[in-house]
Amino acid sequence: MKQRYKKRPVNTSDVRYFAMAGIPIPLAEALSAKGVSAAEMQGYFGCDVCHSPFEMKNMREAAEVVSMVMEQQGSILVCGDYDADGLTASSILYLYFTDNGVDCDVIIPTRSKGYGLHADMVKQAFEKKFYDLVITVDCGISNRDEVAQITDDLGVEVIVTDHHELPQQLPDCICVNPKLGYPFAGLSGAGVAFKLVQALGGEASRYALLAAIGTIGDIMPMRDENRYIVSLGLQNLNHKSIAKLAELSKCKTPLTANDVAMKIAPKINAAGRVEHPDSALSVLLARDKVNSAAVNKLIQLNEQRKQLVERITAQADEMCDDKDVAAHRLTYLYDENWSTGVLGIAAARYKDKYNFPAAVLTKEGENFVGSARGTDNVDLFDVFCRAQQYLVHFGGHKAAVGFSVAPQNVTALKEKLSEILCELPQQSFDRQRYYDADLQGITLEEAYEFTQKMQPCLPQDKVLFLVRDSVKSAKTFGKGAHLSATLSGGMELKGFRFGKYAPYLNGAYIDAVVSLERDEYTHAVCGMIEDVQILNSLCLDSQYKLNFLRRFTPCSVRPAEASQVIKALSGNSVLAVFDDYETYLEQSEVYPLDDFFVDIFFDGGGSKTVLISPVEADFGRYDKVVCFVRQGTPCLVPDALYVCVDPPNDSLYQLTLNRDICASVYSRIKHKEEFESIKGVYDKYLLGKMSYFQYVAALRVLCELKFIEITDEYTAQTLPSDKKELTQSAVYRCFGE
């Protein structure tokens, strides 16, 4: 079988070096898995890598021009962008210039106006007053024509500071970009602005928080100088409005990179998504005095952003066809009335849901505009490059693309993208989870303290450990949505949105991929579940039997020819369904199942998956479904091929029913109290008098004969009915004496 979880590759020489430095092997492997080398270990943990700003190409020339304007008491126009990086970069320069008595203004385009330097906006600003210098932040490197238009028409010098990929032709002006030449090319736009302030002699700590937010918000690599910038910023929460925003957002003290990523940056981005980015700019510029009105408005805009996303996804869910998504290997949705600002968030949701690339579009002006998100193993930018004949405009990178398309090409674009994606190996769309190290040979406290030393980290960069153990107890919280479990070894696990696993975990062996956190109430280190997989064990036999009793249909099926089954199993998108694990093992000796993931109860996603005893599955996402069933009592799946088998452990499919058992169950359901659950009736009145399997089978008989009706786990009622023989029930005929 294919392994669902894979350990990230490591550099063995680096691991040896780390171990010689006193780091336990599992943690040394985790450090190497995150890409840290022996050469950079000291700087990584010290967060003290700070290069001279003058090592950046053209920085000295830029600083000289800016200094001259400042000395001559000139005025400066800063042109930024509408996202968290562009807004913080703009704020860094504005605050630095005003701190030094320089007249400065900022212009930010709206999202509908589009990313980049806009000559018309600069000209509008010049209509109000003349500026001696124009500086771009987080944009401009690809705006050669716009820069030329500004310098020619307005007679003003332009300095471009940016961090994006370099075009073939640079603007004809001073361009400052770490990709042009600098020891570290991974700075954000705010990081470049921060380095310009350093070059001008500014006090770094005053502006580091804004640079940290821009770096985190733009998801820049937490390596080299970025670690210095972010660490310095988080240590200097000297911005009163951001401090207030952090307080109202319930961020931890001291502020963490995770809280900035999850609670601060999204609110800054919300302004540009929902309204005008100036709402966020007002907060970022209010450093020395809290702008309560602006902070509260930003929080309100973020709530509106959430509502917009929910509204779009509710409408989009109705448009989604699982089989269409699987067939096209693409979620492609559009509506003329959706908000452009949240298209990317919606696309990310559908990418996560189906594990296929997703594109969400809406009408803007004459064209449709869209945002697309790609999966880990698909280069989405390359896919759009190959479909550019249908596009008006597009841009982005491997994981995300923004684009516009003429109305007449909306459908053609979908078909072309799908054609390209269908050329890729099906394995490109497998859900495979990588982890960094095993939690063996080290204590939880050791591991947790080490991960804290690796801070600052972005949420997606947290260290992931693989844990294998049996579950001592499992329960839900948050109205059943979330999971809390205690392992036999004593480790506590929590899993948000994993509540559905709780009924199946007591006594079961599991593999869990977890990050480590300290519980704020117990102060114990616990594992936060990123993913969990149930492993086969004897204790699952009773659950296999229960699932079978709940799902089977008393009927015969037409078995498929062996050649049909082998052909189906050799396909690129196929689900093989078994009612128990032993049957799977036996049939894996007969049929080609080696390249399948194996999941129990819940489908973990994959192009080729074996699913044992399904509780929940999206059968429609597969091209073919093959069910290995017991003839006479199969568990039916629409449009499936069937292989009839004799289960090795036939006791899983055997039980005895009689009139007394069915009568006892009927009586107890008839007199059930409103607050009692269906399971509770058995536990309170019938435990010891019959097995739970008999109870479940009897309920099915009574429902089939319409003696009772069960609505949910708490609601059941008896129905008026003519006298019927139990043998009229097909379920009873399967098991009755």
Side-chain angles (χ1 to χ4, degrees), residues 547-581:
N547 289 349
F548 167 75
L549 288 172
R550 288 167 176 156
R551 292 181 57 242
F552 85 90
T553 300
C555 69
S556 294
V557 293
R558 181 181 177 183
E561 297 288 339
S563 58
Q564 285 181 282
V565 175
I566 291 171
K567 182 179 179 181
L569 294 174
S570 300
N572 289 324
S573 174
V574 57
L575 179 69
V577 182
F578 294 84
D579 291 322
D580 69 88
Y581 197 85

Side-chain angles (χ1 to χ4, degrees), residues 130-144:
F130 183 82
Y131 296 92
D132 298 286
L133 180 64
V134 173
I135 305 177
T136 74
V137 290
D138 193 36
C139 65
I141 201 70
S142 296
N143 296 116
R144 177 181 171 86

Side-chain angles (χ1 to χ4, degrees), residues 565 568-569 574-578 624-628 640-643:
V565 175
L569 294 174
V574 57
L575 179 69
V577 182
F578 294 84
K624 294 288 184 181
V625 178
V626 180
C627 294
F628 293 77
L641 295 175
Y642 291 95
V643 180

Side-chain angles (χ1 to χ4, degrees), residues 356-642:
F356 291 116
V360 182
L361 302 78
T362 191
K363 190 77 179 293
E364 185 176 84
E366 295 181 354
N367 297 318
F368 277 82
V369 296
S371 188
R373 295 293 183 269
T375 52
D376 291 343
N377 299 319
V378 175
D379 187 336
L380 195 62
F381 187 77
D382 179 66
V383 171
F384 272 80
C385 284
R386 294 172 60 189
Q388 60 184 300
Q389 68 266 37
Y390 298 103
L391 295 163
V392 176
H393 172 78
F394 77 103
H397 49 81
K398 178 180 183 293
V401 170
F403 62 96
S404 59
V405 55
Q408 65 269 24
N409 287 330
V410 168
T411 301
L413 175 62
K414 174 186 177 180
E415 296 305 320
K416 183 61 179 178
L417 294 174
S418 174
E419 176 188 320
I420 297 166
L421 292 170
C422 288
E423 293 172 0
L424 300 176
Q426 182 66 36
Q427 289 73 18
S428 300
F429 307 101
D430 282 345
R431 286 187 197 272
Q432 193 139 42
R433 171 70 74 174
Y434 289 88
Y435 65 95
D436 302 304
D438 297 285
L439 265 178
Q440 294 179 352
I442 51 173
T443 66
L444 284 177
E445 195 68 34
E446 260 186 304
Y448 173 75
E449 289 300 331
F450 187 80
T451 62
Q452 293 308 106
K453 290 176 183 176
M454 293 177 69
Q455 296 296 327
C457 286
L458 297 177
Q460 58 268 36
D461 292 334
K462 55 194 165 190
V463 179
L464 298 179
F465 296 95
L466 180 68
V467 179
R468 175 171 290 185
D469 202 350
S470 62
V471 178
K472 184 178 178 181
S473 63
K475 60 184 179 180
T476 63
F477 64 98
K479 297 182 180 179
H482 313 307
L483 171 68
S484 175
T486 302
L487 302 183
S488 297
M491 186 178 186
E492 298 289 333
L493 300 182
K494 292 181 181 178
F496 292 99
R497 297 180 300 279
F498 284 94
K500 66 183 182 182
Y501 284 85
Y504 310 96
L505 292 185
N506 284 307
Y509 278 84
I510 62 168
D511 275 346
V513 176
V514 304
S515 59
L516 299 180
E517 289 189 10
R518 191 178 295 284
D519 189 284
E520 59 185 24
Y521 299 108
T522 66
H523 304 295
V525 177
C526 62
M528 304 301 296
I529 298 174
E530 300 290 325
D531 201 35
V532 65
Q533 185 175 33
I534 301 172
L535 307 177
N536 186 59
S537 60
L538 285 174
C539 74
L540 297 185
D541 282 356
S542 60
Q543 192 61 56
Y544 294 153
K545 187 166 187 171
L546 275 178
N547 289 349
F548 167 75
L549 288 172
R550 288 167 176 156
R551 292 181 57 242
F552 85 90
T553 300
C555 69
S556 294
V557 293
R558 181 181 177 183
E561 297 288 339
S563 58
Q564 285 181 282
V565 175
I566 291 171
K567 182 179 179 181
L569 294 174
S570 300
N572 289 324
S573 174
V574 57
L575 179 69
V577 182
F578 294 84
D579 291 322
D580 69 88
Y581 197 85
E582 285 185 70
T583 302
Y584 153 69
L585 287 179
E586 184 176 80
Q587 295 302 313
S588 66
E589 299 292 326
V590 180
Y591 291 98
L593 297 170
D594 289 346
D595 59 342
F596 282 63
F597 291 114
V598 178
D599 293 318
I600 297 175
F601 303 144
F602 300 98
D603 182 0
S607 55
K608 303 181 78 168
T609 302
V610 165
L611 183 57
I612 313 292
S613 189
V615 171
E616 179 181 292
D618 180 8
F619 298 112
R621 72 180 296 271
Y622 295 93
D623 292 341
K624 294 288 184 181
V625 178
V626 180
C627 294
F628 293 77
V629 299
R630 183 174 179 269
Q631 185 64 284
T633 55
C635 295
L636 299 178
V637 174
D639 303 320
L641 295 175
Y642 291 95

Side-chain angles (χ1 to χ4, degrees), residues 118-314:
H118 296 274
D120 59 333
M121 290 184 66
V122 175
K123 290 179 180 180
Q124 288 171 13
F126 268 73
E127 289 174 2
K128 298 175 183 176
K129 69 177 183 183
F130 183 82
Y131 296 92
D132 298 286
L133 180 64
V134 173
I135 305 177
T136 74
V137 290
D138 193 36
C139 65
I141 201 70
S142 296
N143 296 116
R144 177 181 171 86
D145 292 343
E146 288 79 0
V147 169
Q149 190 177 345
I150 291 167
T151 55
D152 292 347
D153 294 354
L154 301 176
V156 64
E157 186 165 2
V158 176
I159 294 176
V160 167
T161 75
D162 200 350
H163 73 121
H164 290 95
E165 295 298 327
L166 303 175
Q168 289 185 346
Q169 282 190 305
L170 296 175
D172 188 14
C173 66
I174 296 173
C175 293
V176 179
N177 186 317
K179 292 180 174 62
L180 284 169
Y182 191 60
F184 177 58
L187 292 177
S188 65
V192 177
F194 177 79
K195 298 306 291 185
L196 175 58
V197 168
Q198 280 189 325
L200 294 168
E203 184 183 343
S205 61
R206 295 201 72 189
Y207 313 97
L209 177 61
L210 291 166
I213 293 172
T215 300
I216 294 168
D218 224 38
I219 320 178
M220 303 309 295
M222 208 53 58
R223 305 287 293 279
D224 202 275
E225 192 166 20
N226 283 342
R227 294 183 65 78
Y228 165 77
I229 291 171
V230 172
S231 295
L232 183 64
L234 296 178
Q235 292 165 19
N236 288 276
L237 188 53
N238 52 11
H239 191 300
K240 293 185 177 179
S241 291
I242 293 175
K244 187 64 177 178
L245 181 62
E247 176 193 334
L248 295 177
S249 302
K250 299 180 180 179
C251 293
K252 293 178 181 177
T253 304
L255 190 62
T256 66
N258 188 75
D259 276 347
V260 171
M262 303 301 290
K263 299 178 180 180
I264 301 296
K267 292 181 175 67
I268 295 171
N269 283 323
R273 294 183 186 279
V274 175
E275 198 178 74
H276 197 288
D278 284 353
S279 297
L281 189 65
S282 298
V283 173
L284 298 175
L285 297 183
R287 178 189 60 196
D288 302 321
K289 183 179 179 181
V290 175
N291 187 335
S292 297
V295 169
N296 289 326
K297 184 174 183 182
L298 204 56
I299 291 172
Q300 291 170 5
L301 290 174
N302 190 53
E303 291 303 313
Q304 289 181 36
R305 187 266 304 172
K306 292 179 183 177
Q307 293 168 10
L308 281 172
V309 172
E310 293 304 321
R311 193 179 310 145
I312 286 179
T313 52

